[in-house]
Every structure is written in C-alpha cells, then in structure tokens.
Amino acid sequence: MTKIVSRIYRMVAVSDLRPHPDNPHKGELDVIRESVRENGFYGVVLAQANRMRIIAGEHRWHSVREEGLTELPAVLLDVTDEQAKRIMLADNRSAELGGYDDQVLANLLQGLPDLSGTGWSDDDLTDLLDDLGGVEIVTDEPADPRRPAPPRRPLPNRRPRAAAGRARCPPLRSTTSGTRNTTTPTGRTPPRRPARRRAPPRT
C-alpha cells in the first residue's frame, strides 16, 4: 500500500546541508543560477533528515550558495540510507525520461517577450522551429487602424418592378394657367360640358 513518507518542512541553513556522495547526476549550474537570479529561489531541497544529505535539489543548493543566500526551504525526509539512494536515483531518472510536446513548447517560448531565466535560448527556439518544419507560429493581431478599408463592391442598378396586373400610367400633365389639371390617365383632355343656365328669379 502506498504511504506518505514522514517529513519535516522548514528553513535550513545552507551550511547545514551537504551533497550526497553517491549522486551520479551532473546538472547545468549556469542555467540554474540564471533562473535563481531572474525568478528567485522557488523550489525546495529534499534531504535525509538523520544525515542532512541532499537527496534531490543538489544543484539548486550549489546555485543558492554561489548566489550568497544563507538559508533555503528544505524537506527533511525520515528515510534510511537505502531509501535515500532509491529516491535520489528515481528523481534523476524520471526527469531524464520525460519529454516535450514540441508544438506546445514552441508556442510557450514564442509567447514570452524574452527567454531569460527559462533555460532556453534564441538558438534553441530556432532549432525547435526548424524541427517543426520551419513554420513560425503567428498569433492573431488587431487590425491596424491606419490601414484603409477595402473598397466596397458596388451594387447593381435595379429598376423597381411594377406590381403584377397593374398598367403603368403616364404622369399627369399640369396646366400653366393655374387651373386644376383636367387630363385623363391617357393624356387626353376630356370634352367640355356646356354650362347650365340659371333660371330667372321668380317675381
């Protein structure tokens, strides 16, 4: 049954810790020191409680000491010498067996303004993009307000259609004498009717 290893978490003097004599792993101290300077020390060191030997995080301990820090956070594990060696080997090996999703990594690196403190360089990013086929990931950019808008496509000229079943009538012509218009829809002037004579008044 899986169990939680007994531990104590506390700040420990850098001088109280010492590297494990059997640790075969060699890390890149320059990369770790750059990360500590850029990001601060954010990790912990695992150590065997009864011997104060570092099980995991030895290179972080070296970097902290070179940067002049006097204390660091540590997790002191209550384990035997054999357990300490197994944990140390498993920690180093699991990190080596891990891999990357290159596409996700390229997107992540390109999304940063610079690569300082990441352990990656511009040359690393260039090689990574070459391995991906030389395709550069381009993010969406807002439209430039100074760029003129594309010309609109002109609409075709359409004449309004007459309603079905209705005949078109010519416009009514107005007279110049100021009288009301007496033209018919066909454009012809109708014949005038004779005026009625009024009967003389009765006496």
Side-chain angles (χ1 to χ4, degrees):
M1 180 178 178
T2 302
K3 63 179 181 179
I4 304 298
V5 177
S6 177
R7 71 194 64 198
I8 299 174
Y9 179 87
R10 71 180 186 184
M11 296 296 294
V12 176
V14 174
S15 58
D16 289 344
L17 297 170
R18 56 179 176 164
H20 198 290
D22 296 330
N23 186 10
H25 189 258
K26 303 299 179 182
E28 185 60 51
L29 290 180
D30 291 339
V31 174
I32 300 175
R33 288 187 63 184
E34 180 187 359
S35 174
V36 172
R37 288 193 298 266
E38 185 73 20
N39 307 310
F41 187 83
Y42 53 85
V44 296
V45 170
L46 301 183
Q48 185 179 355
N50 60 345
R51 292 183 179 272
M52 297 302 285
R53 287 178 176 176
I54 299 173
I55 301 174
E58 178 182 329
H59 301 95
R60 292 195 291 270
W61 173 79
H62 281 295
S63 300
V64 165
R65 189 175 62 169
E66 293 178 4
E67 289 298 316
L69 297 180
T70 58
E71 288 186 329
L72 53 74
V75 177
L76 306 180
L77 302 179
D78 184 15
V79 292
T80 65
D81 292 348
E82 181 181 342
Q83 287 177 314
K85 291 178 181 179
R86 291 180 182 275
I87 294 173
M88 178 179 63
L89 289 170
D91 184 76
N92 292 333
R93 185 59 172 162
S94 60
E96 293 174 356
L97 293 177
Y100 289 98
D101 184 319
D102 290 343
Q103 186 70 67
V104 175
L105 176 60
N107 290 340
L108 180 61
L109 295 176
Q110 285 192 309
L112 296 174
D114 61 77
L115 301 181
S116 60
T118 65
W120 297 84
S121 66
D122 292 334
D123 291 337
D124 294 332
L125 177 57
T126 300
D127 293 340
L128 179 61
L129 293 175
D130 289 341
D131 293 340
L132 289 172
V135 179
E136 183 177 0
I137 292 84
V138 179
T139 57
D140 294 335
E141 297 180 355
D144 188 352
R146 296 172 297 178
R147 183 180 300 175
R152 294 184 178 180
R153 183 178 179 182
L155 297 176
N157 295 327
R158 295 181 179 180
R159 295 180 179 179
R161 296 181 179 180
R166 295 183 180 179
R168 294 185 180 180
C169 299
L172 301 179
R173 292 177 296 179
S174 60
T175 59
T176 58
S177 60
T179 60
R180 99 184 141 128
N181 189 2
T182 57
T183 56
T184 63
T186 59
R188 298 180 181 180
T189 303
R192 294 183 179 181
R193 297 179 180 179
R196 294 182 179 180
R197 295 182 180 180
R198 295 182 179 179
R202 295 180 181 181
T203 58

